[in-house]
Amino acid sequence: MSSDSRLDLEFAYTPYLDSCRDLYSPYYYCRRPLGHDGVHAAGFGSSRLRWEHQPDHAPHLLS
């Protein structure tokens, strides 16, 4: 299974309240489950973004 397919499944089965929500921009926030390993990710298909959390700042969670 490709990493994109695995992320699609994570996004589909992770409720909003259980998602990480580290903010990339006002339009993209991490949809992976809380406490995930590896990079943050958001979006689907050609719009998918991946980013590393910057250790010098706390996560920006959307309320």
Side-chain angles (χ1 to χ4, degrees), residues 11-62:
F11 294 174
Y13 289 102
T14 302
Y16 175 77
L17 293 176
D18 294 334
S19 65
C20 174
R21 299 190 306 272
D22 185 83
L23 193 64
Y24 179 82
S25 77
Y27 303 102
Y28 291 101
Y29 54 92
C30 184
R31 288 283 301 146
R32 299 190 72 195
L34 284 170
H36 65 83
D37 290 329
V39 298
H40 296 291
F44 291 92
S46 63
S47 297
R48 174 152 297 136
L49 295 171
R50 290 177 174 87
W51 68 96
E52 295 280 342
H53 178 70
Q54 300 301 318
D56 58 339
H57 68 80
H60 300 291
L61 299 180
L62 299 174

Side-chain angles (χ1 to χ4, degrees), residues 2-17:
S2 73
S3 65
D4 281 331
S5 296
R6 192 172 303 120
L7 286 173
D8 287 342
L9 287 173
E10 281 186 11
F11 294 174
Y13 289 102
T14 302
Y16 175 77
L17 293 176

